[in-house]
Amino acid sequence: MSEETTAVPLLTPAGGTPPVIDSETAFRNALQQLAHGSGPFAVDAERASGFRYSARAYLIQIKRTNGGLHLIDPIAFGPGHPLMFELNDLLNTDEVILHASTQDLPCLRELGINPTRLFDTELGGRIAGLARVGLGPLLESLMGVSLAKEHSAADWSVRPLPQDWLTYAALDVELLVELRDKIEALLVDSKKDSWAQEEFASILLAPPPPPRVDPWRRTSGMHKIKRRDQLAIIRELWITRDEIAKSQDTAGGKLLNDSAIVEIALNPVATKKEFEKVLRPLGLRARWLENLKAWLDAVARAVALEESKWPALRTNADTLPPIKLWRDKFPEKYAPLSHARARIEIIAEENKIPIENLITPEIVRRMCWAPPAPSTSQASPEIVREHLLSLGARKWQVELVGAAITAALLEKEALPTPEPVPETTPEEA
């Protein structure tokens, strides 16, 4: 679509917004219609992120050519329902199309839906070299239609779901099959279709992420915490909030957000008056006071801890030092990293693909931090290739960047940091 062309708003599905499927009879009818369709299945799921503790699906949208568009309420059936397994069997007769699949696959799998063939329109757009890969921008640039996104952050756990929300959800899959074909054509034309297929297969084969060690350490604003006794308060408040949130199936941030937890750690409170005084600058919310006793008890437990039981400021987790420290403190690691980054950037530009999709930056850092041979001079292309694969790189990625990383590991001097370009005043210009 040219820049001069105005996108046509997509306001309603061609066949109208279907009713929500919340009975076994309606579910079976939908399965029959889908089975009589042809080609891949366009699938999407709506969650209640920011409202609920769980990441479960609260609505599933499915469309297939000549098989209809269907809105399924998974809460009416639940995980392990026989009809969900029937749906899974049907979906696995062809390809499943998802946009940003890693967001929806966990909640679909929780229901028993586990695709075996995938096309991810968001990732496919990235690999094709498209600048904007959100569903809306892709539909605008490739199909000439605009999609409203006003309900993307809605609480999809509410019942009944408003009609305009259902229309919004249905539109997410209305043109997904056609969009998939447009993106595939771009991938084939640029000879990147095999790369995309390898990425899609990797997503399906990826194991679930392991449980996070000390998840409380991911509290936003932790950079303000400088003392171990403050960390103890963060930990106790976070764990208390998590327990309450899980029991109520409520997002933790609704009960007490991260900013409040950090502020309390910096200014420990023991009474309601102190609690209100510390949090008033943040915009004290009535919801925070609902569990006031639990928060005060958590702070009291943390304050009463012996110093030996305070958490460490740093963990022994398998994490690398911040990159900003490498040049000065670890120059022998930074030198190959600077060259690897520069060479990978050139390869990414040549292939019109985002650097993070060409090769995960974390993999590059780990290669430079711990080379795959006792000496970097012994890091042959074969050894580098095997190590990249062991770190999770795909074969097509290794073929593109393997030689560049092998050469970078031999570098002893870092590339110079570009000097900032001074601003030119109008008079100087």
Side-chain angles (χ1 to χ4, degrees), residues 89-147:
D89 291 341
L90 177 59
L91 294 177
N92 285 336
T93 62
D94 213 298
E95 180 184 81
V96 169
I97 309 168
L98 289 166
H99 187 82
S101 60
T102 54
Q103 296 180 23
D104 289 339
L105 279 172
C107 67
L108 292 174
R109 285 169 170 161
E110 183 181 278
L111 292 166
I113 299 172
N114 194 16
T116 55
R117 293 171 58 190
L118 172 69
F119 192 102
D120 186 325
T121 47
E122 191 262 357
L123 181 53
R126 287 181 181 276
I127 296 173
L130 299 176
R132 301 170 64 217
V133 294
L135 182 58
L138 283 175
L139 287 172
E140 284 192 32
S141 62
L142 298 181
M143 304 197 65
V145 299
S146 62
L147 197 64

Side-chain angles (χ1 to χ4, degrees), residues 184-353:
E184 184 185 45
L186 293 175
L187 291 168
V188 171
D189 187 58
S190 58
K191 296 180 172 59
K192 296 178 179 179
D193 51 313
S194 63
W195 301 359
Q197 288 301 327
E198 196 172 341
E199 289 298 296
F200 301 157
S202 175
I203 289 173
L204 294 178
L205 293 173
R212 289 190 179 126
V213 177
D214 292 344
W216 56 269
R217 288 185 181 272
R218 296 175 64 86
T219 303
S220 299
M222 284 282 280
H223 62 281
K224 299 178 182 179
I225 303 300
K226 308 299 183 185
R227 301 188 338 229
R228 291 175 59 215
D229 59 330
Q230 295 170 338
L231 275 184
I233 297 175
I234 294 277
R235 179 179 64 186
E236 202 64 38
L237 279 172
W238 191 98
I239 291 174
T240 299
R241 181 185 69 178
D242 190 64
E243 291 172 348
I244 297 173
K246 186 175 183 179
S247 68
Q248 298 180 0
D249 192 16
T250 300
K254 294 285 184 182
L255 302 175
L256 190 71
N257 69 21
D258 285 4
S259 297
I261 288 179
V262 170
E263 203 59 37
I264 293 172
L266 294 171
N267 305 277
V269 299
T271 66
K272 178 181 178 182
K273 184 176 181 180
E274 292 173 351
F275 182 90
E276 293 175 338
K277 180 180 179 181
V278 166
L279 298 188
R280 191 169 290 115
L282 298 180
L284 183 64
R285 304 175 191 178
R287 189 78 185 268
W288 296 357
L289 293 168
E290 291 178 6
N291 298 285
L292 178 62
K293 184 178 186 304
W295 312 139
L296 296 180
D297 289 348
V299 174
R301 286 195 300 272
V303 170
L305 283 176
E306 299 175 3
E307 183 175 349
S308 62
K309 295 183 179 179
W310 293 347
L313 286 174
R314 297 286 182 269
T315 67
N316 294 322
D318 185 23
T319 56
L320 302 180
I323 293 297
K324 62 183 179 181
L325 302 179
W326 282 36
R327 177 183 284 275
D328 295 329
K329 294 193 174 183
F330 311 102
E332 75 285 359
K333 312 289 187 185
Y334 183 77
L337 178 65
S338 66
H339 287 271
R341 283 174 152 182
R343 296 177 188 193
I344 289 171
E345 183 175 352
I346 293 173
I347 296 171
E349 291 176 354
E350 292 174 344
N351 289 276
K352 295 182 174 59
I353 186 171

Side-chain angles (χ1 to χ4, degrees), residues 8 25 37 42 73 78 83-84 101 129 146 156 165-166 204 216 252 278 281 314 339 341 359 366 373 383 408:
V8 178
T25 299
D73 179 4
L83 289 174
M84 287 294 177
S101 60
S146 62
W156 289 90
W165 293 19
L166 296 174
L204 294 178
W216 56 269
V278 166
R314 297 286 182 269
H339 287 271
R341 283 174 152 182
I359 186 73
R366 290 194 176 279
I383 292 176

